[in-house]
Amino acid sequence: MPTLETTLKDLEMLVGSPISVDDLDRRLDWVKGELKEADPRSGLLKIELNDTNRPDLWCVEGIARQLRGGRSPSGRPWEQLAISPSPGTLVVTTSPSVQGVRPVIGGFVARGPQIGESGLTQLIGAQERLSELYGRKRADVAIGVYPLRSFSFPLLYEAVAPDTTSFVPLGSEAPATLQEILRSHPKGKIYGKLLSGQHRYPLLKDHHGKILSFPPITNARETGEVTTQDHELFIEATGFDPERVRLVLNIFAANLFDRGFSIEPVTVESGDIRRTFPSTSPSEILVPRSLPSRITGESIDDHTFRQELLRYGYDRVEIVPEGFRVYAPFYRDDLLHPVDCVEDFLIARGYDSFSPTLPEAFTAGRDSPHRAVEDKIRELMTGLGFQEILSNILTSLERDTSDLGRPGDRTVEIDNPVSRQYGVVRSTLLSFLLQAEAQSSRFPYPHRLFEVGEGLEKHPGTPPNLREKSLFSGLISHPTASVSEMAGVVLEILRYMGWEAVLTSHDLSPFIPGRSGSIMVPERSHPIGDIGEVHPEWLEKWGIRMPTVLFEVDLSQLYPSLFPVTA
Amino acid sequence: MTWNFHPLEIALLQTLTRHPEGILEEGLLSGLDLDPGQIQMALGWLKAKELILESVEETRTEISLTDSGRTAVREGFPEEWILEQVRTNPDLTLDHLRKSVADPGQISKAIGELKEMGVLTIVPGGILRLGNPMPASTVRTFALIRALEATSPLVFETLSPEDQELLGAFQRKRGKGKGILRFDVREKRRIVLKPGIIGESDLVSQNDQLGPVTPEMIQSHGYRNRTFRPYSLNTPPPRPQIGLTHPYREYLDGVRKQLVRLGFEEMTGTLVESEFWNMDALFIPQTHPARDIHDIYFIREPRESPPLDPVIGPRVRAVHSGEGETFGSRGWRQSFNENQARRLLLRSQGTALSARTMAGTPRIPGKYFALARCFRYEQVDQTHAVDFYQAEGIVLEEGASFRTLLGLLSLFAREVAGAREVHFKPAYFPFTEPSVEVHVRHPVLGWMELGGAGLFRPEVLRPLGIDVPVIAWGLGIDRMAMMRLGLSDIRDLFSGSLNTLYEMTLAKARSRRESEGTL
């Protein structure tokens, strides 16, 4: 989720009134924001924005604008944005060569007061957040910001061969070809993969041939970086979807307009298609008349609905026979369905202003039958004096296999683990019981532990099958612990569950040969579990110094219909 | 006052009377023909009766290796192992080293120490380089520890002051948790009988009195006309072991009971889900950051689920792409990739269960819940666990609304969290609109988030064939459980250590006493 830093002073300047830090968190409800930090000395604020679908709110200007009910902090009406002084002078020509490489470009010019320190910090911050999150690490949208002083319109956007053109990229001293930039420039190394498989790379230059940038990688050093003294800027965005490029430019235009800049649109010509950015025409959506009342659960009159939406910054709300024709401001593109407008209405009126009511229908509650089996077993085991443990589902491959002397062919591995320590899904609970025992050597003996929970294993096939198990496992550890003591427990518990089980000898690691076996019930052809005395060699490996016995039963073998089968 | 002594006590008292100056505990052990356990037991009784005094004559500290210490000595110390790896592989990076071991935390710690000593440096690119040789003090410390393997325990006080300092510093640095060394303080105690309380007559053997009741005694009526020796009830009895459910499981059981009582039916599902049910059916766009390789765990083999449901699959595709029947939505206007939808992952949210329930034949009106283990892609630390429980659920009801949603959340705040003050905060989830976060005021910790909820979007409901409003809710129960169990480290929720479990059980008992009536 995007987090932005700003100062209280800047936010107050944009909102146009003093703000108390104490109620700021509640005021941020309007923008689905959360005040994460407020430093009373420096006035520094850290705000987390939760709405991943409203990039216009990921900038302090956007937050201030929303808090002012959609009015621009500059005090000017939105109609004044994007008035071209002399149409046709600011043009970017798109060469057909960018088709299939990175076909869409848009931009605008902003002239105004000096951008200043807060203005510049916020501009750069917004550029990073929008290109990283909304632009998905520049794959969908990359944004360039330039001082206007060092080049002149019209511009050309084209795709060129990687090794024929060279220029000095930002942060370097010497010229390099586009190919070399991808290989050795820091940004080239990060974003170069966006151009993999391409034979031509995008390039933006002015009509004298001066290179502005190599989108989406880096700007040229010569056109320079924006400084706090600059008051004439060119903002450009490239990508694949004209709608996404348009939204990003609209947001930047609104932000700079909010800081007192005047915005001059740039026309992009690609063949016969001409597009102008920013574009302030609102998007419209029809909200059925009954929807607000249906969603809120109280009768909402047309006038209130309209008033609240206008208060929340909508351009216009027309009441028509079918319902409400709602016009959203040009810097928003998040209305997928009429329900989105209704939520804005709820936020504008305030969630706490609705009186809660309870569901009306009577419904019967119940545990899942699967849980009922587990609960019965847990009740019986605690009745026998066993302490329940609860373990993580993820573990390491070694823990699940070689630490028990068992092969790993059934263990399900994670393709992208955070660490090897949590690299597989457990197929057994035995290693967790042994680990618990190893950690508890100072606790008075005897130890009787058990756990009931999920496990997973894969079975051979193409592709292999996954089978989820419901494991029921136990451990006894004390000076005279033996397999017969444990056998008594297992057989008795199963008897109380309605199963007459028997044990058959079967050698299995990590148990002493001749002292382990399979647990069988007459109704099943396969063993439902194992039992055995742990061999002292294995006990030593686990750091256990007490005789220890284990068992494990797979309940899903006994109750196959109760346990879900993997997708 | 008349005393009634157990024969063991009498034996002990007789010895102590012969030694008015007192007797060393070990002398007592060797002087009496009794089991040391019995002597300790009788000493305990006499102490409880305040008849004897104990004084510490001398203390000495015995050092021995712990289990992990023995492993370290056998396999080499992490510091030595790291240096060996760096020596043999000059391109080794920190990242690579960390990924190659089972316990990256231990490696990070050892690297930190090596860096501090200047033995290791990290150059740009995270590559490890050797620096100064290992300091003599460290070499000596490791040698001392190795010596312990042969002569254990070692009496700390017999070591030179320099060596004492080295081992002391080593132990302080390592901390007590996963220590390599174990320091046991042994005391030499002298036991003195308090004068003037016990007389000769008190020590007359009371052998004519009866001890334990035996079956033979009952059958032969041997107890008739005889008296039983009185037993002291103030001596601490042995503690029985109680079979208990795990405190966290017990907490979850409580939440489950509460929800069943409120009319919710439990849903269960599998740990492994397809992206389709975990994400697509919930209208999470395929390009959403939460679907990134760094946000969910993918299964290595098999990689894909069987093909998508022939009815629901295309409907979900339509609402994502915005082409075809979209139920009034513009959709995400992105292409929909079926291969991505079929990838198998570890369930990242319990809402997947709600999606599957809705796609089946849910009761309408109906209320459902699940306490589902979910997986989070995070480095494990004090506040982050790889797997955790989520309480999730849905309410399907004709006429359910935003107000019903608030009503339900207020009910949870009261019944599940025991909170009186509630604040509803606008929130964003891709699958609900409107969405809300519910915050409650905790008496000590102040405002905290209890959970998130909302009305499912039409883009979620309609493709699954649901045409009544559905409330979706989720509660962050692991945090509430930690508060109730007195834990500050989330990893302890899944600890198997019996000591930790015992502490948690006691904390829970205290908390239950303090807040009667809530979970």
Side-chain angles (χ1 to χ4, degrees):
Chain A
M1 259 171 284
T3 303
L4 71 83
E5 274 184 35
T6 180
T7 59
L8 186 62
K9 218 175 105 197
D10 197 31
L11 186 61
E12 283 178 329
M13 191 275 285
L14 289 163
V15 171
S17 58
I19 293 170
S20 138
V21 174
D22 293 334
D23 19 277
L24 183 56
D25 191 53
R26 285 288 162 92
R27 287 187 73 179
L28 290 175
D29 282 0
W30 257 47
V31 297
K32 298 188 183 173
E34 220 172 301
L35 184 63
K36 283 292 180 195
E37 271 175 55
D39 183 349
R41 262 183 314 146
S42 60
L44 211 65
L45 306 175
K46 230 182 217 175
I47 299 173
E48 187 181 274
L49 285 315
N50 293 320
D51 197 335
T52 49
N53 209 20
R54 280 206 53 189
D56 63 300
L57 295 176
W58 305 349
C59 331
V60 65
E61 296 88 351
I63 293 175
R65 197 185 309 133
Q66 185 65 69
L67 294 182
R68 294 174 64 127
R71 282 179 292 279
S72 172
S74 70
R76 296 174 290 171
W78 291 114
E79 291 77 47
Q80 286 183 19
L81 184 132
I83 298 171
S84 191
S86 43
T89 48
L90 299 177
V91 172
V92 178
T93 306
T94 302
S95 141
S97 57
V98 294
Q99 287 308 318
V101 181
R102 197 172 179 87
V104 179
I105 187 166
F108 66 88
V109 162
R111 292 183 215 269
Q114 278 187 1
I115 180 97
E117 199 171 319
S118 334
L120 183 59
T121 313
Q122 294 305 325
L123 181 70
I124 303 297
Q127 182 191 7
E128 279 168 10
R129 282 187 292 277
L130 267 75
S131 55
E132 283 298 299
L133 298 168
Y134 182 75
R136 293 205 306 135
K137 302 191 185 342
R138 303 191 187 180
D140 291 352
V141 184
I143 303 156
V145 177
Y146 315 80
L148 205 55
R149 55 187 139 80
S150 52
F151 64 93
S152 53
F153 279 89
L155 306 180
L156 174 66
Y157 179 54
E158 59 176 352
V160 300
D163 48 2
T164 51
T165 307
S166 55
F167 71 100
V168 186
L170 215 53
S172 291
E173 299 296 322
T177 65
L178 304 187
Q179 192 70 66
E180 288 162 352
I181 290 172
L182 290 196
R183 250 200 321 267
S184 51
H185 191 270
K187 298 286 179 197
K189 287 189 200 161
I190 301 174
Y191 299 106
K193 59 177 182 293
L194 298 177
L195 294 171
S196 69
Q198 296 292 355
H199 305 296
R200 290 168 157 267
Y201 293 165
L203 200 67
L204 182 63
K205 53 190 186 188
D206 78 356
H207 68 114
H208 297 301
K210 188 167 177 183
I211 291 169
L212 272 73
S213 65
F214 169 19
I217 313 295
T218 178
N219 284 13
R221 193 180 68 159
E222 212 182 334
T223 42
E225 282 181 285
V226 177
T227 69
T228 54
Q229 274 96 45
D230 278 310
H231 53 90
E232 293 184 324
L233 309 173
F234 171 55
I235 316 285
E236 147 276 308
T238 56
F240 295 85
D241 177 358
E243 288 307 308
R244 287 182 165 257
V245 167
R246 182 184 73 91
L247 179 68
V248 163
L249 291 169
N250 283 359
I251 291 170
F252 275 92
N255 289 356
L256 287 164
F257 185 73
D258 288 345
R259 288 195 182 269
F261 282 73
S262 60
I263 307 299
E264 295 172 16
V266 169
T267 303
V268 175
E269 298 178 347
S270 42
D272 296 338
I273 303 169
R274 291 164 65 95
R275 288 197 187 95
T276 299
F277 300 90
S279 128
T280 52
S281 52
S283 54
E284 59 169 271
I285 189 164
L286 182 79
V287 179
R289 172 154 280 137
S290 61
L291 194 68
S293 301
R294 249 195 302 139
I295 290 185
T296 53
E298 70 178 52
S299 151
I300 305 293
D301 71 73
D302 296 354
H303 180 70
T304 313
F305 185 68
R306 181 171 176 271
Q307 277 317 106
E308 292 294 347
L309 284 189
L310 292 177
R311 208 163 72 83
Y312 197 64
Y314 280 82
D315 280 1
R316 216 161 72 233
V317 179
E318 293 165 1
I319 301 177
V320 294
E322 311 91 286
F324 308 88
R325 193 171 301 285
V326 176
Y327 296 87
F330 68 99
Y331 48 81
R332 283 185 60 177
D333 188 31
D334 58 303
L335 303 173
L336 305 184
H337 190 279
V339 293
D340 295 294
C341 292
V342 179
E343 190 194 65
D344 285 343
F345 160 74
L346 297 170
I347 296 172
R349 214 187 93 173
Y351 277 12
D352 287 336
S353 77
F354 291 88
S355 60
T357 176
L358 283 174
E360 280 172 7
F362 172 81
T363 55
R366 56 175 77 81
D367 290 328
S368 75
H370 153 177
R371 202 72 76 185
V373 168
E374 288 187 355
D375 276 2
K376 187 68 205 166
I377 283 180
R378 292 167 62 215
E379 181 192 318
L380 291 169
M381 286 303 277
T382 51
L384 279 176
F386 278 71
Q387 166 73 51
E388 184 181 32
I389 67 164
L390 188 60
S391 314
N392 282 113
I393 301 255
L394 297 187
T395 184
S396 71
L397 183 62
E398 293 76 18
R399 269 286 137 99
D400 202 58
T401 59
S402 57
D403 286 357
L404 296 169
R406 295 184 176 181
D409 54 339
R410 293 204 160 179
T411 301
V412 177
E413 288 178 73
I414 293 168
D415 207 30
N416 56 332
V418 173
S419 82
R420 284 186 52 214
Q421 209 176 345
Y422 301 103
V424 306
V425 185
R426 69 189 184 195
S427 69
T428 172
L429 298 174
L430 297 184
S431 53
F432 295 97
L433 289 166
L434 287 171
Q435 191 181 351
E437 174 50 35
Q439 286 171 354
S440 304
S441 60
R442 305 259 179 105
F443 198 81
Y445 282 89
H447 293 170
R448 294 188 168 87
L449 308 175
F450 81 102
E451 180 164 5
V452 179
E454 304 101 319
L456 187 66
E457 84 188 4
K458 72 172 180 236
H459 287 254
T462 11
N465 293 311
L466 291 180
R467 206 172 68 75
E468 213 149 306
K469 307 191 281 186
S470 173
L471 299 169
F472 158 41
S473 315
L475 171 149
I476 298 177
S477 190
H478 62 77
T480 57
S482 73
V483 70
S484 78
E485 180 183 355
M486 189 59 106
V489 169
V490 176
L491 297 184
E492 197 63 9
I493 294 282
L494 289 172
R495 191 166 295 128
Y496 273 86
M497 297 300 293
W499 301 91
E500 282 300 330
V502 290
L503 304 183
T504 56
S505 277
H506 171 64
D507 287 348
L508 178 71
S509 184
F511 303 125
I512 300 173
R515 294 195 193 173
S516 66
S518 302
I519 305 169
M520 312 284 295
V521 290
E523 295 86 346
R524 300 283 179 271
S525 53
H526 292 290
I528 58 157
D530 312 303
I531 186 168
E533 261 180 59
V534 185
H535 197 287
E537 269 178 27
W538 288 103
L539 289 178
E540 272 194 66
K541 282 185 187 150
W542 282 87
I544 296 172
R545 296 187 206 164
M546 212 35 102
T548 298
V549 278
L550 294 168
F551 80 89
E552 182 156 81
V553 167
D554 180 4
L555 297 172
S556 48
Q557 303 267 7
L558 290 176
Y559 306 93
S561 64
L562 295 189
F563 294 93
V565 177
T566 288
Chain B
M1 175 164 189
T2 38
W3 297 95
N4 274 299
F5 291 117
H6 187 273
L8 280 172
E9 290 176 298
I10 290 174
L12 229 62
L13 287 169
Q14 280 167 343
T15 313
L16 287 168
T17 333
R18 283 197 296 277
H19 298 277
E21 77 290 355
I23 185 165
L24 286 175
E25 201 175 355
E26 50 195 53
L28 207 55
L29 289 174
S30 57
L32 282 164
D33 185 23
L34 288 171
D35 178 83
Q38 288 181 313
I39 294 180
Q40 290 299 345
M41 194 162 66
L43 278 174
W45 296 336
L46 294 176
K47 216 167 137 187
K49 290 174 182 164
E50 298 187 349
L51 290 174
I52 54 171
L53 290 173
E54 279 181 347
S55 56
V56 176
E57 279 277 280
E58 183 195 317
T59 52
R60 58 178 193 170
T61 312
E62 290 177 1
I63 317 174
S64 53
L65 287 175
T66 63
D67 291 337
S68 44
R70 247 183 297 281
T71 314
V73 166
R74 206 167 44 233
E75 294 172 3
F77 293 92
E79 286 85 350
E80 296 172 326
W81 182 81
I82 291 165
L83 292 182
E84 188 51 39
Q85 300 302 308
V86 177
R87 233 172 255 131
T88 49
N89 180 1
D91 295 328
L92 190 66
T93 63
L94 179 57
D95 212 33
H96 190 251
L97 193 66
R98 254 196 228 128
K99 280 197 182 126
S100 65
V101 292
D103 182 2
Q106 194 192 26
I107 292 296
S108 300
K109 203 170 163 192
I111 288 189
E113 268 155 33
L114 289 170
K115 263 174 66 188
E116 207 173 291
M117 297 187 293
V119 177
L120 203 64
T121 53
I122 301 178
V123 298
I127 296 173
L128 301 166
R129 290 260 181 281
L130 294 176
N132 306 330
M134 193 85 106
S137 57
T138 311
V139 175
R140 173 74 186 156
T141 309
F142 286 170
L144 282 168
I145 294 170
R146 285 221 162 76
L148 278 173
E149 205 185 14
T151 54
S152 188
L154 202 68
V155 178
F156 186 67
E157 286 78 8
T158 61
L159 295 173
S160 75
E162 294 80 22
D163 288 351
Q164 285 190 17
E165 176 54 34
L166 283 177
L167 287 182
F170 180 82
Q171 182 73 347
R172 278 192 300 280
K173 222 171 183 177
R174 293 289 166 128
K176 279 184 183 148
K178 276 187 169 178
I180 283 189
L181 299 178
R182 176 169 161 182
F183 284 64
D184 289 308
V185 178
R186 306 258 183 238
E187 292 177 339
K188 223 179 205 179
R189 273 182 298 198
R190 178 177 291 277
I191 292 144
V192 188
L193 184 65
K194 284 191 189 171
I197 304 179
I198 301 295
E200 285 277 326
S201 59
D202 294 318
L203 297 182
V204 174
S205 174
Q206 290 150 331
N207 278 343
D208 54 328
Q209 291 189 322
L210 292 173
V213 177
T214 61
E216 295 74 27
M217 189 190 284
I218 300 169
Q219 280 162 27
S220 66
H221 308 291
Y223 58 89
R224 285 188 179 162
N225 305 321
R226 295 184 64 185
T227 54
F228 284 92
R229 191 172 70 248
Y231 285 174
S232 163
L233 292 179
N234 340 334
T235 47
R239 274 163 74 170
Q241 291 195 342
I242 303 182
L244 290 171
T245 48
H246 188 280
Y248 186 27
R249 257 315 262 272
E250 196 192 346
Y251 177 83
L252 295 169
D253 286 345
V255 173
R256 178 151 54 101
K257 271 189 206 137
Q258 196 75 285
L259 289 167
V260 168
R261 207 148 50 208
L262 295 173
F264 285 84
E265 184 172 337
E266 190 179 20
M267 314 178 275
T268 47
T270 53
L271 300 173
V272 175
E273 266 300 354
S274 61
E275 279 203 50
F276 184 79
W277 290 110
N278 198 82
M279 308 277 188
D280 295 307
L282 294 168
F283 199 53
I284 301 175
Q286 290 199 321
T287 53
H288 196 278
R291 306 181 64 155
D292 197 80
I293 182 147
H294 298 298
D295 274 274
I296 34 180
Y297 294 105
F298 291 106
I299 301 295
R300 179 165 296 169
E301 203 191 30
R303 303 180 84 83
E304 283 188 347
S305 73
L308 303 184
D309 182 287
V311 177
I312 296 174
R315 289 195 203 143
V316 169
R317 168 195 286 272
V319 292
H320 276 256
S321 64
E323 291 161 6
E325 173 54 273
T326 63
F327 307 102
S329 176
R330 183 185 96 174
W332 291 115
R333 297 198 293 216
Q334 288 173 7
S335 60
F336 183 86
N337 181 343
E338 176 158 345
N339 290 336
Q340 185 183 347
R342 286 173 57 188
R343 285 230 46 188
L344 292 175
L345 45 76
L346 289 175
R347 173 169 72 205
S348 73
Q349 49 182 0
T351 323
L353 293 173
S354 301
R356 280 190 178 273
T357 300
M358 289 190 292
T361 45
R363 294 173 221 275
I364 297 175
K367 299 198 196 91
Y368 293 88
F369 80 100
L371 295 172
R373 197 85 80 109
C374 300
F375 298 83
R376 196 180 283 168
Y377 201 88
E378 251 153 355
Q379 282 288 354
V380 174
D381 65 23
Q382 204 170 325
T383 54
H384 298 100
V386 281
D387 48 66
F388 58 102
Y389 279 96
Q390 240 180 21
E392 288 268 342
I394 46 177
V395 175
L396 307 96
E397 184 174 311
E398 191 59 69
S401 67
F402 183 65
R403 288 179 57 212
T404 327
L405 168 68
L406 299 187
L408 191 70
L409 293 175
S410 307
L411 185 70
F412 287 155
R414 206 169 52 235
E415 296 292 320
V416 182
R420 309 235 174 278
E421 264 187 277
V422 179
H423 171 62
F424 299 112
K425 209 174 166 62
Y428 178 79
F429 309 108
F431 38 90
T432 52
E433 192 85 5
S435 307
V436 54
E437 256 178 26
V438 55
H439 291 238
V440 293
R441 199 202 301 262
H442 183 268
V444 183
L445 305 171
W447 286 100
M448 55 176 280
E449 187 186 332
L450 176 65
L455 294 168
F456 269 127
R457 299 187 65 99
E459 295 95 326
V460 174
L461 296 180
R462 304 297 301 279
L464 300 179
I466 302 289
D467 47 17
V468 296
V470 178
I471 293 172
W473 55 268
L475 303 177
I477 41 178
D478 44 359
R479 216 167 352 150
M480 280 194 286
M482 281 171 69
M483 272 163 38
R484 182 57 52 87
L485 301 174
L487 298 180
S488 56
D489 191 327
I490 198 165
R491 287 170 290 194
D492 285 343
L493 283 180
F494 296 108
S495 166
S497 152
L498 289 172
N499 279 318
T500 311
L501 285 175
Y502 185 64
E503 293 301 324
M504 275 159 75
T505 306
L506 293 189
K508 185 156 177 170
R510 279 193 298 273
S511 154
R512 193 168 37 225
R513 250 191 65 186
E514 283 158 18
S515 58
E516 296 284 342
T518 54
L519 280 174

